[in-house]
Every structure is written in structure tokens, then in C-alpha cells.
Amino acid sequence: MAPLDTRTQLLDAAERLFAERGFRGTSVRAITDLAGANLAAVGYHFGSKAELLSAVVRRVIEPITAAQLAGLERLGSEPTISELVEAFAGPLFDEMRADTSRLIVRIFGDPSEEMRDWTGSAEEQVRDRYRAAFARALPDLPAEELWFRMRGILAVAAVDRVDRHNQPCTPNPTEPARRWAVTFLAAAMSAPPTG
Amino acid sequence: MAPLDTRTQLLDAAERLFAERGFRGTSVRAITDLAGANLAAVGYHFGSKAELLSAVVRRVIEPITAAQLAGLERLGSEPTISELVEAFAGPLFDEMRADTSRLIVRIFGDPSEEMRDWTGSAEEQVRDRYRAAFARALPDLPAEELWFRMRGILAVAAVDRVDRHNQPCTPNPTEPARRWAVTFLAAAMSAPPTG
DNA sequence: CCTTCCATCATACGATCGTTTGAATCAAAC
DNA sequence: GTTTGATTCAAACGATCGTATGATGGAAGG
């Protein structure tokens, strides 16, 4: 086994267990057992359990931000609100597994430092570019209210994924929820300013 | 000190610490220390740490569902979408402290059994009555898409509270966010069915 | 005074936690 | 064949966890 194999299997196991049981609810021993690795492997490859979490989060965030940026560049210079919503929210449904949404929601709800030191510049860049694009499409909307609405997009997408994942029996197809979300959010973004 | 005093102070301390550090991140010792009680007080008054969580959640949920029900009964027989959104989402801003939103989001993201056995019939009753009211106001919307949208209301309200609470420096006034939410969500609920 | 019952107390139990350590293993370089 | 450096291994460390136990306090009822 090449050294990268153990590293990758640790990332896979940790991603799954952190999403299922949370950071504090997952022991290093559970991760190394699932990965088929030795207990000390986490310390050797990542330094600590917290740094393993950072590596996991960076890995799951990256394809999402990449798809969001690619979707924005695919649009013309004067995209509609609906197109912007689709490009911004679509990858949250397509590029993200349901348990990954749960992991992100859990991190979002945890104010401790170890859960926040992973934040890179990638999602800030995505956020700023979409904010500019929405601001051009909604020139009358104040910046603060626009930012409130963009957080609303993230909230609806993430919470829907997690909540459908919480229902044990239903098959939970992603596709209708994705289209409902675009309808719902495009209408919401198009609302006139509160004023 | 009357016996109920220790019980109440345990509930207060647990509510605060569970919201700040999560269920697994909060030790029984931290709760009893903050409450000025003995370590064994949790076991004596509640049986276990998990049952203490249930008691905390029931206590914070109750005024919210009560306000939602009262708001619905205050409306006429043919309320507008905006009135329904206001009555449903308003208490999530008014009756809920920001750290309580965090506690709820954390519980929402945790699929473990101990986090879910508190669910009572109160919020189910609220959910069903608002669902019926929205269905009357939106007769063309399929039931499944309506339920998706109602979860969107909860998502926007909860995530906004937590996210504004995450920002350390700003004063984070609730009032503009509350009005922005009603604008945003009323437009979203009023969207035609996806079809 | 004595009993009863509720509440609180100090203390300890077994388990599990994250991390560290030093030896063992192994392929590649020389 | 020997050295070297990276990787994996079993084992142990101190700390902290949730819970249980039996003693103690103290007011109410007889």
C-alpha cells in the first residue's frame, strides 16, 4: 500500500463518521478501525484529530465551489435571477452527498475554534463573485438584504438535504427537491426590497 | 433553596452550555458547576444527561409553538400568504434566543436517537395546522412541494439567527432580519407550482 | 425525641478519550 | 549487504467522561 492509500482511507472514514456522529462523537479509534489503519496513523498523517477534520472539510468543499464558479462563468453577461439561483444552488444538490450536507450543518452550528480554522479563500471568492452578479441583476436591493437572501439560498439547500436524509424510509430523490428549490428561491430573490 | 431551584438552575445551565458546546461537548460536571449544584444532581433530578437534554429542548420549544398557534388563531379565515408567513416565522425570531437557534440546529444535524426522543406532539400540531392553512391559501400547490416550502421557512429563520450569532463584532439586531425574512419567504411561498 | 423523606454531598467505578512513544517493517539507494 | 528514510505497529500515558453509591443534612409528622 502506498502511503497515500492510508491517508485517503482515513479521509474517507473520517468524512463518513464525522457526518454520522459529529466530530466529538467520533473517536480516533473508530476512524482508524473503519479505515483499516493503526490508531497512530491519524497523528502521523494529519497531526491531530482536529487537523484531520480540516482536511476532510477542505476536500468536500472543493468540488462544490469549483462547480459554482464554473456555473457562473457559463452564464452570459446578463443572467436572469433564476439562472443565478440555479448556478449557485444547483451544485449544493449535485456535488454534495446528503451526509456531507449534514457535516456542514454540524460545523455551522458549532462555534468552537477547531471547527472553523479550515475556512479557505475558495468559498469567499465564490460568495463575492455571486454577490456581485446578484447585485447587478437586483440593482435596487441593498447590500445587506442581498446578503441575507444569499444566506437563505444556502440555508434552504442544506437544510433540505439533511432533512430528507433524516427520513429513514423514503427513497428521497434529489431531483424534485432541486427543482422546487430553484422555483422557491428564484421567487424569493426576485422579491422587491423590504424598504 | 427549594428543590425546584436546583432543577431550574440545572436546566438554565444545560440550555446555555448545550447551545454553546453541543451535547457531547458539554460535560455533566460543567453543567453542575455552572448551576452551583453537586455532580450527582443531574442523575437525581433528571435520571441521565440525555433526559436533561430532553427537558431542556421541551422547555425552549414550548413558547415558540404556543406563539405560532396563537398567531394563527389571531388571523382571519382567509389570511394572506404574507400574514401566514409572519405568524409562522415571526415567533422563530421573537420567542427564540440566538443561542437557542444554535441548539436546535445542532440537534437537527444529529441523527442519534438520544437527540430525537424529545419530539412531542406540540410542534406536529403546529405544523399540521399551518400546513392546512397554507394549503387553503395555495390551492394549486401539491402537498409535497408545500411541505418543502414550509421547511424552507424554518431553514431560513434558524440559519439566519445562528449565522448572525456567529459574527462576533456586529450588534446583530433581530428586527431588520425579521422583516427581510417575511419579504423573502412570502415571495417564495407565493411562487407558482414547479409543475 | 424519633422517624421519615427528600435533597445534597463527597467519592469512587469502569470506560473511553486523544496523544505519544519506541520498536518493527519494508522498499529503495548505494 | 547495508544503510536510510518513510510508514506502520502494539502499548501505554494521563485525563476526562457518565453514572452509581452510601453517607449526611435538615425539615415535617408522629
Side-chain angles (χ1 to χ4, degrees), chain B:
Chain B
M1 264 195 256
L4 276 187
D5 255 347
T6 298
R7 228 187 96 97
T8 304
Q9 293 203 351
L10 285 175
L11 283 170
D12 291 342
E15 176 179 336
R16 175 167 148 194
L17 291 177
F18 283 156
E20 280 178 11
R21 317 179 192 175
F23 178 71
R24 287 200 166 89
T26 301
S27 67
V28 176
R29 286 165 178 83
I31 296 170
T32 52
D33 284 354
L34 181 60
N38 185 268
L39 171 59
V42 165
Y44 178 77
H45 285 283
F46 298 95
S48 69
K49 183 187 175 189
E51 292 172 274
L52 171 58
L53 172 70
S54 294
V56 166
V57 174
R58 278 193 298 266
R59 197 179 65 156
V60 303
I61 288 279
E62 190 251 329
I64 299 169
T65 56
Q68 285 175 318
L69 273 186
L72 182 58
E73 289 170 2
R74 208 176 297 117
L75 295 178
S77 60
E78 300 288 339
T80 66
I81 302 293
S82 185
E83 286 172 333
L84 281 172
V85 167
E86 173 102 36
F88 188 62
L92 302 176
F93 289 86
D94 301 334
E95 306 292 330
M96 189 158 52
R97 295 208 317 269
D99 61 339
T100 303
S101 313
R102 163 166 283 130
L103 173 61
I104 292 179
V105 166
R106 300 184 86 131
I107 291 176
F108 174 75
D110 196 324
S112 63
E113 294 249 340
E114 45 189 355
M115 305 294 254
R116 310 222 159 270
D117 65 346
W118 56 267
T119 44
S121 59
E123 64 270 13
E124 293 180 13
Q125 185 186 358
V126 170
R127 189 218 315 156
D128 291 341
R129 293 195 51 181
Y130 270 95
R131 180 150 55 179
F134 273 115
R136 252 196 315 276
L138 296 163
D140 295 335
L141 196 66
E144 284 178 333
E145 189 169 2
L146 170 60
W147 179 231
F148 171 90
R149 294 187 182 185
M150 289 187 64
R151 286 183 309 177
I153 299 179
L154 296 166
V156 168
V159 167
D160 170 73
R161 297 298 308 275
V162 174
D163 193 52
R164 288 206 331 281
H165 197 238
N166 278 349
Q167 316 298 334
C169 45
T170 63
N172 295 327
T174 297
E175 189 203 311
R178 193 198 134 112
R179 290 188 293 121
W180 293 341
V182 173
T183 304
F184 183 84
L185 293 169
M189 294 299 290
S190 305
T194 301

Side-chain angles (χ1 to χ4, degrees), chain A residues 150-195:
Chain A
M150 289 187 63
R151 287 183 310 176
I153 299 178
L154 296 167
V156 167
V159 167
D160 171 72
R161 297 298 309 273
V162 174
D163 192 52
R164 285 203 337 277
H165 196 239
N166 278 348
Q167 315 300 333
C169 44
T170 64
N172 296 325
T174 297
E175 187 203 316
R178 193 198 135 115
R179 290 188 293 123
W180 293 341
V182 173
T183 304
F184 183 84
L185 293 168
M189 294 300 291
S190 304
T194 299

Side-chain angles (χ1 to χ4, degrees), chain A residues 115-146:
Chain A
M115 304 294 255
R116 310 221 159 273
D117 65 346
W118 55 267
T119 43
S121 58
E123 64 271 16
E124 293 180 14
Q125 185 186 359
V126 170
R127 189 221 312 160
D128 291 341
R129 293 196 51 184
Y130 270 94
R131 180 149 53 179
F134 273 114
R136 251 196 317 277
L138 296 162
D140 295 334
L141 196 66
E144 285 178 334
E145 190 169 0
L146 170 60

Side-chain angles (χ1 to χ4, degrees), chain A residues 3-50:
Chain A
L4 275 187
D5 253 348
T6 297
R7 229 186 94 99
T8 303
Q9 293 204 353
L10 285 175
L11 284 170
D12 291 341
E15 177 180 335
R16 176 168 148 194
L17 292 177
F18 284 155
E20 280 179 11
R21 318 178 190 176
F23 178 70
R24 287 199 163 90
T26 302
S27 66
V28 176
R29 286 164 177 83
I31 296 170
T32 52
D33 283 355
L34 182 60
N38 185 268
L39 171 59
V42 165
Y44 177 77
H45 285 283
F46 298 96
S48 69
K49 184 188 174 188

